[in-house]
Amino acid sequence: QNFELITAIEVIEHLRNPGWFLREASRHMTGTSRLLITTPNNASLYARLKYLFTLRLPHFDNHGDATHIYPVIPEIFTRITADQGLELANSWTYPASRGGFQTRAITRLLIAATRPFLRNPLPGDIFCMALRKRTGT
């Protein structure tokens, strides 16, 4: 059976084999279907700075959910999706910027200080992706 929309909201980071999940989702998609995936954003400036100074990713450290076992790194995830016949149709973050109520003042200050030197193309806490079947598959 095919579906027009398959969602995995805050699921993929819990899976031991995300490639298997993507393969199964792809089997149930048509050329117009979309697979919507959301996951903690490990590509934000905040996440990169935290990793730089602590070697820990937000949501995957001792303060995060212990069942988070697979951090999604966009560049690597793109390779995995391609292997399963999928491609990124669209991506965005939520909220649109980092610095909400969960961010400490010192972290907001550090982000503001490094912003002129470091790009932050994916600033939000949650990374959202809409995937589609790759053309020709």
Side-chain angles (χ1 to χ4, degrees), residues 113-132:
T114 57
R115 193 170 286 133
F117 312 105
L118 299 173
R119 292 180 343 107
N120 195 17
L122 300 169
D125 295 328
I126 305 298
F127 183 50
C128 308
M129 297 168 278
L131 301 169
R132 64 181 168 221

Side-chain angles (χ1 to χ4, degrees), residues 5-9 11 21 34-38:
L5 178 64
I6 300 171
T7 61
I9 309 301
V11 170
F21 167 76
R34 294 294 181 264
L35 169 59
L36 176 65
I37 296 175
T38 69

Side-chain angles (χ1 to χ4, degrees), residues 1 3 6 12-13 17 21 28 31-32 43 50 52-53 63 70 79 82 84 88 95 99 112 117 122 125-127 135:
Q1 184 174 4
F3 300 96
I6 300 171
I12 199 124
E13 66 273 10
N17 190 342
F21 167 76
H28 297 283
T32 60
K50 180 172 181 153
L52 175 67
F53 291 112
H63 300 293
Y70 178 77
R79 292 182 201 167
Q84 305 309 325
L88 191 65
F117 312 105
L122 300 169
D125 295 328
I126 305 298
F127 183 50
T135 308

Side-chain angles (χ1 to χ4, degrees), residues 12-13 37 39-43 60 70-74 77 127 129:
I12 199 124
E13 66 273 10
I37 296 175
T39 188
N41 183 10
N42 296 303
F60 292 85
Y70 178 77
V72 173
I73 308 298
F77 194 71
F127 183 50
M129 297 168 278

Side-chain angles (χ1 to χ4, degrees), residues 4-100:
E4 285 301 309
L5 178 64
I6 300 171
T7 61
I9 309 301
E10 302 301 305
V11 170
I12 199 124
E13 66 273 10
H14 299 272
L15 302 179
R16 293 194 185 282
N17 190 342
W20 178 86
F21 167 76
L22 293 168
R23 181 175 48 254
E24 290 302 306
S26 179
R27 283 185 43 225
H28 297 283
M29 294 172 67
T30 67
T32 60
S33 299
R34 294 294 181 264
L35 169 59
L36 176 65
I37 296 175
T38 69
T39 188
N41 183 10
N42 296 303
S44 70
L45 183 54
Y46 165 73
R48 290 182 286 150
L49 288 172
K50 180 172 181 153
Y51 188 78
L52 175 67
F53 291 112
T54 68
L55 294 179
R56 295 187 174 114
L57 290 169
H59 304 287
F60 292 85
D61 59 8
N62 57 350
H63 300 293
D65 186 333
T67 65
H68 284 183
I69 59 173
Y70 178 77
V72 173
I73 308 298
E75 293 79 15
I76 297 168
F77 194 71
T78 300
R79 292 182 201 167
I80 295 170
T81 58
D83 285 347
Q84 305 309 325
L86 298 169
E87 66 184 0
L88 191 65
N90 194 8
S91 67
W92 64 98
T93 61
Y94 181 85
S97 64
R98 174 76 186 171

